[in-house]
Amino acid sequence: MSSSISARVRKEETDIVVVGGGGSGLTAAIFARQAGANVILLEKHTELRGSTGLSIGSITATGTWHQKRAGIKDSPQAHFEDMAKFAGDLAVNDNEELRRILVENVTESVDWLMSLGVTFYGPMPEPPHRQPRMHNIIPNSRAYIYFVAREAKRVGVDARVNAEVKRLVLENGRVVGVVASIAGEEREIRARRAVILATGDYSSSPEWKGRFNPAVADVDGVNTTNVGDGHRFGEALGAQVKFGEVVYGPNLRFMPPPKPSLLLSLPPHPLLTKAMRIALERLPAAMLRPFILSFVTTYLSPEPSLFKEGAILVNKNGERFADELDKPNYAFGKQPDKIGYIVFDDEVARKFRKWPYFISTAPGVAYAYLQDYKRNRPDLFHKAGTIGGLAASMGVPAGGLEAEIARYNSGASGRPKLGKGPYYALGPVKSWIILTDGGLTVNRSHQVIRGDGSVVPGLYAVGSTGQGGLLLEGHGHHLAWAFTSGRLAGRHAAGANP
């Protein structure tokens, strides 16, 4: 924090500064601008994206056009009750006020996104939701940023990338701006009305993860820019971080392809996305399967059943480094380049060509078998008649892998040994933290509040940064909160008294 800035620092002034250019930050900026405020948005990455552009892309909501068209009778109250079922034992401490705000306002968020050009497919079921509520974006989550960033530009938001906020500026206890490095130049940007923190979570900060959940401190986060910047700013002013221990992951996921898949390359033009939605709704599953599997084999995780049937994990040196049946995803952080390979023999390979043995699944969408990975992800698929030949395909030392498998077979102690070839490997695979749920304490207006409940004047927080003790278990709730909190906070901040 700082209350005095060097006279040499270049100064600017606006009504509202938004820190973070993902879904929640862009939305907050748009709605503040539409309410009459001048807005500067600062994103430290080289592009507007945030975790929104890296997500699976689902939003869970009730009362939508999709539910009504399907004849589904649902309500925000039912949604409110069902969210508690996902939270389990933690539900007793959930922020029910924020949960109520989410379920009662998310439908308007979906309607707004659709008005911008976003196309959804669904709703899809996800128990224990009593009704299908999950709306999946078409063609992929980058479409959110495409349409929302375009809208921000249209309404006049001044969005800047390569702009890292270093500290907040305080005067008489009020947040009145930020100091940021923009394209290498330090600037002070004054905010006449408010600063809105939209910096995401801290899934890529070893320090923050080590503080709240040490077991995952060395596991990488999916979004490398999410290092808890906003949490640090808010906590320094007396805010608290609620549910910091709740982490989504670590999850095993295959490394992304060297080039974007067809699905990621598709432009989100409304004519194309509507055609895709109609196809998903009407075409036979067999015709859709090849298209859907390009998604499944890119994003999803290897099934634990692979290891139960006899596959083993080795690192890039060919060394087995974990008990595959006892949370192996926690062991990746200490491996070379934090990657591994799944190695198995011909008997396992024959099983994982048909139901019920599948490599990956997208719930309610499709299953991917071994031959699908060979077809769709040849960069991950390795096969050879000998262990040495497999090692060459994987790029690991042949002698090391041969010795490791011999050692494993001699002491498998109840687990299936690796038998006859040909031999297979899938990888590289990596362990990731997807999200962290700990967010700064906020009130119903999304103002950051201290531990004693008092407001930090001039400071708001949205998305994961302003989650405030709200638990968002289940698919589609994090994006729902990102866009909903952004809409509401933008309006509140625009109406703040200077």
Side-chain angles (χ1 to χ4, degrees), residues 180 188 203 227 256 273 325 347:
E188 177 191 353
S203 53
V227 294
T273 56
L325 303 183
E347 182 178 352

Side-chain angles (χ1 to χ4, degrees), residues 71 110 154 156 158 213 223 232 261 312 326 348 358 396 409 457 464:
V110 172
R154 187 188 72 82
D158 182 356
N213 199 325
N223 187 349
R232 174 167 49 87
S261 67
I312 65 172
D326 186 20
V348 173
F358 47 88
V396 306
N409 281 344
S464 295

Side-chain angles (χ1 to χ4, degrees), residues 99-156:
R99 193 203 308 171
R100 180 72 63 188
I101 288 171
L102 172 61
V103 299
E104 291 182 352
N105 291 277
V106 64
T107 306
E108 187 178 341
S109 298
V110 172
D111 290 344
W112 173 68
L113 289 165
M114 291 176 63
S115 75
L116 300 183
V118 173
T119 300
F120 292 102
Y121 166 64
M124 304 292 291
E126 185 188 22
H129 285 297
R130 69 190 73 178
Q131 297 287 2
R133 296 176 179 142
M134 184 168 60
H135 300 68
N136 299 318
I137 193 169
I138 299 173
N140 57 72
S141 62
R142 296 189 181 204
Y144 285 124
I145 302 301
Y146 175 87
F147 287 112
V148 177
R150 187 175 71 174
E151 178 68 1
K153 182 178 181 180
R154 187 188 72 82
V155 301

Side-chain angles (χ1 to χ4, degrees), residues 407-484:
R407 186 161 42 248
Y408 169 77
N409 281 344
S410 66
S413 61
R415 287 204 61 203
K417 298 180 180 181
L418 268 76
K420 297 180 179 179
Y423 299 97
Y424 298 80
L426 291 173
V429 64
K430 189 168 181 175
S431 187
W432 303 94
I433 299 297
I434 311 303
L435 293 165
T436 57
D437 247 7
L440 295 175
T441 44
V442 297
N443 63 17
R444 64 176 297 105
S445 297
H446 307 280
Q447 294 170 290
V448 175
I449 58 174
R450 303 182 181 91
D452 62 5
S454 62
V455 169
V456 178
L459 190 62
Y460 293 73
V462 297
S464 295
T465 315
Q467 207 162 310
L470 172 63
L471 291 167
L472 296 173
E473 295 275 355
H475 290 95
H477 287 133
H478 285 90
L479 283 181
W481 180 246
F483 291 113
T484 301

Side-chain angles (χ1 to χ4, degrees), residues 210-251:
R211 172 180 162 187
F212 289 112
N213 199 325
V216 300
D218 57 3
V219 180
D220 290 346
V222 170
N223 187 349
T224 58
T225 63
N226 279 4
V227 294
D229 292 336
H231 295 72
R232 174 167 49 87
F233 297 149
E235 199 175 56
L237 294 175
Q240 296 179 325
V241 175
K242 296 288 188 179
F243 289 124
E245 74 280 9
V246 178
V247 171
Y248 293 79
N251 292 342

Side-chain angles (χ1 to χ4, degrees), residues 343-354:
V343 177
F344 46 98
D345 60 19
D346 189 53
E347 182 178 352
V348 173
R350 289 177 182 272
K351 284 185 177 180
F352 282 82
R353 295 178 187 276
K354 60 183 179 179

